[in-house]
């Protein structure tokens, strides 16, 4: 009896020790975070950085689906505005068929672009009209040329941009519509804050200063084939939707596949439970 009591007592003491250790770790960690927050000076980037606006997207939610017309509008915005500086190196011309373009349209668009090639006579690097199997070409031959044309800021590839940024779709749309003058309140609170000579204030960008000039500036900058009014916000949302598709072309298909899988798993679970009840019911009768 005394031995059993000793074992229980040791178990209780060990449990109390671990509880106290976890509590101590939590308290010291919380204190360190609070102290760091108190000692760390406020910065303009921390105080004036804004979270992206939340837009309604057709592809959101478990039953989301692509709005094909929106994707086509977004592709047009990319092609006529963004492609001058930004590449889509992970997207092939033939992928555009998923947006509702037929084979002849894809071939014509690919042929209108010049892609890197090799001269069969000399073996030297050259360019040639694109084929549907080719990928979107970069607007610059290399990173040095890209930096030289953009004040030493290399424009990022946009293929996966909405995956590379938190809340990517909303981030891209907010960023494109977020250019503004530096707020007077920021200047007053942080008089030392200054943008670079080529910087543009945008509260949705991490350090508030964006090297890229506003790409979408006026309504009607792009003419949409379906008659949708091309406001700056509309163009921003459409190209953000298009870039969501380039980053996750299987997004909707994955959701559509997920529901049959969940239904199957639910059915299999119920079937397994009923089988277990039947098997153990027979075992119970034998025991009785």
């Amino acid at each position: 009896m005394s031995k059993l009591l000793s074992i229980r007592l040791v178990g209780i003491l060990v449990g109390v020790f671990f509880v106290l250790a976890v509590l101590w770790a939590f308290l010291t960690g919380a204190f360190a975070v609070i102290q760091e927050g108190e000692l760390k000076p406020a910065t303009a980037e921390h105080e004036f950085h804004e979270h992206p606006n939340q837009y309604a997207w057709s592809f959101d939610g478990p039953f989301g689906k692509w709005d094909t017309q929106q994707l086509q509008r977004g592709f047009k915005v990319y092609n006529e505005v963004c492609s001058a500086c930004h590449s889509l190196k992970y997207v092939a011309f033939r992928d555009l068929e998923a947006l509702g373009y037929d084979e002849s349209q894809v071939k014509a668009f690919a042929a209108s672009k010049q892609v890197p090639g090799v001269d069969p006579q000399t073996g030297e690097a050259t360019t040639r009209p694109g084929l549907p199997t080719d990928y979107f070409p970069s607007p610059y031959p290399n990173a040095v040329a890209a930096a030289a044309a953009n004040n030493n800021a290399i424009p990022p590839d946009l293929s996966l941009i909405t995956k590379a940024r938190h809340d990517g779709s909303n981030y891209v749309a907010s960023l494109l519509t977020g250019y503004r003058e530096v707020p007077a309140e920021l200047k007053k609170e942080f008089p030392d804050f200054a943008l670079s000579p080529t910087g543009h204030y945008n509260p949705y960008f991490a350090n508030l200063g964006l090297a890229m000039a506003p790409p979408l500036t006026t309504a009607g900058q792009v003419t949409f084939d379906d008659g949708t009014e091309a406001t700056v916000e509309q163009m921003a949302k459409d190209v953000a939707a298009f870039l969501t598709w380039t980053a996750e072309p299987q997004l909707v298909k994955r959701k559509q596949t997920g529901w049959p899988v969940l239904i199957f798993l639910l059915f299999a679970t119920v079937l397994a439970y009923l089988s277990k009840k039947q098997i153990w019911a027979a075992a119970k009768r034998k025991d009785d």
Side-chain angles (χ1 to χ4, degrees):
M1 185 70 179
S2 60
K3 186 177 180 181
L4 181 60
L5 184 61
S6 299
I7 294 174
R8 287 182 177 176
L9 183 60
V10 170
I12 292 172
L13 290 175
V14 171
V16 170
F17 171 78
F18 277 108
V19 169
L20 291 175
V22 171
L23 184 61
W24 173 258
F26 172 77
L27 291 175
T28 54
F31 177 75
V33 170
I34 293 171
Q35 189 177 39
E36 183 181 356
E38 291 176 348
L39 297 177
K40 189 176 181 180
T43 63
E45 290 80 3
H46 180 267
E47 295 293 325
F48 287 87
H49 178 260
E50 296 181 18
H51 294 291
N53 299 315
Q54 299 300 301
Y55 297 97
W57 303 103
S58 65
F59 47 80
D60 273 345
F63 299 101
K65 58 182 180 180
W66 297 120
D67 180 342
T68 303
Q69 286 190 324
Q70 183 179 45
L71 296 183
Q72 290 187 0
R73 294 196 302 267
F75 166 62
K76 192 164 190 181
V77 174
Y78 166 78
N79 185 48
E80 296 186 13
V81 180
C82 309
S83 64
C85 299
H86 297 276
S87 58
L88 280 181
K89 64 182 180 181
Y90 296 119
V91 182
F93 295 126
R94 62 184 174 185
D95 294 333
L96 296 176
E97 291 186 24
L99 304 188
Y101 297 106
D102 59 36
E103 186 178 351
S104 61
Q105 289 175 308
V106 172
K107 283 184 177 179
F109 177 76
S112 70
K113 301 294 182 181
Q114 292 293 310
V115 301
V118 176
D119 188 324
Q121 303 298 324
T122 64
E124 294 181 354
T126 184
T127 59
R128 59 172 175 77
L131 299 171
T133 52
D134 291 318
Y135 286 75
F136 278 71
S138 171
Y140 305 104
N142 51 57
V144 175
N150 294 276
N151 296 308
N152 290 323
I154 301 176
D157 179 80
L158 297 183
S159 305
L160 305 176
I161 196 68
T162 59
K163 290 282 284 181
R165 301 291 184 269
H166 175 67
D167 199 10
S169 305
N170 291 314
Y171 169 79
V172 170
S174 298
L175 187 78
L176 292 174
T177 56
Y179 289 90
R180 62 193 70 165
E181 295 295 323
V182 179
E185 185 182 353
L186 187 154
K187 294 179 180 178
K188 181 179 178 181
E189 191 172 343
F190 300 95
D192 294 334
F193 175 81
L195 295 171
S196 68
T198 57
H200 304 270
Y201 181 77
N202 194 314
Y204 299 106
F205 195 64
N207 66 1
L208 307 181
L210 193 57
M212 178 178 69
L216 304 175
T217 55
T218 57
Q221 191 170 342
V222 173
T223 302
F224 292 135
D225 298 332
D226 62 0
T228 300
E229 184 181 0
T231 63
V232 170
E233 183 179 41
Q234 185 67 55
M235 290 186 289
K237 289 170 60 179
D238 290 344
V239 77
F242 170 70
L243 294 176
T244 302
W245 172 78
T246 64
E248 297 185 90
Q250 301 301 320
L251 174 65
V252 169
K253 188 174 182 180
R254 189 170 67 244
K255 291 180 179 181
Q256 293 172 343
T257 303
W259 282 110
V261 171
L262 288 175
I263 293 171
F264 169 77
L265 291 175
L266 180 62
F267 173 75
T269 301
V270 172
L271 189 63
Y273 174 75
L274 295 176
S275 299
K276 173 256 181 189
K277 291 277 287 183
Q278 184 175 7
I279 292 170
W280 284 103
K284 264 188 172 184
R285 285 196 296 272
K286 285 184 180 179
D287 289 342
D288 294 341

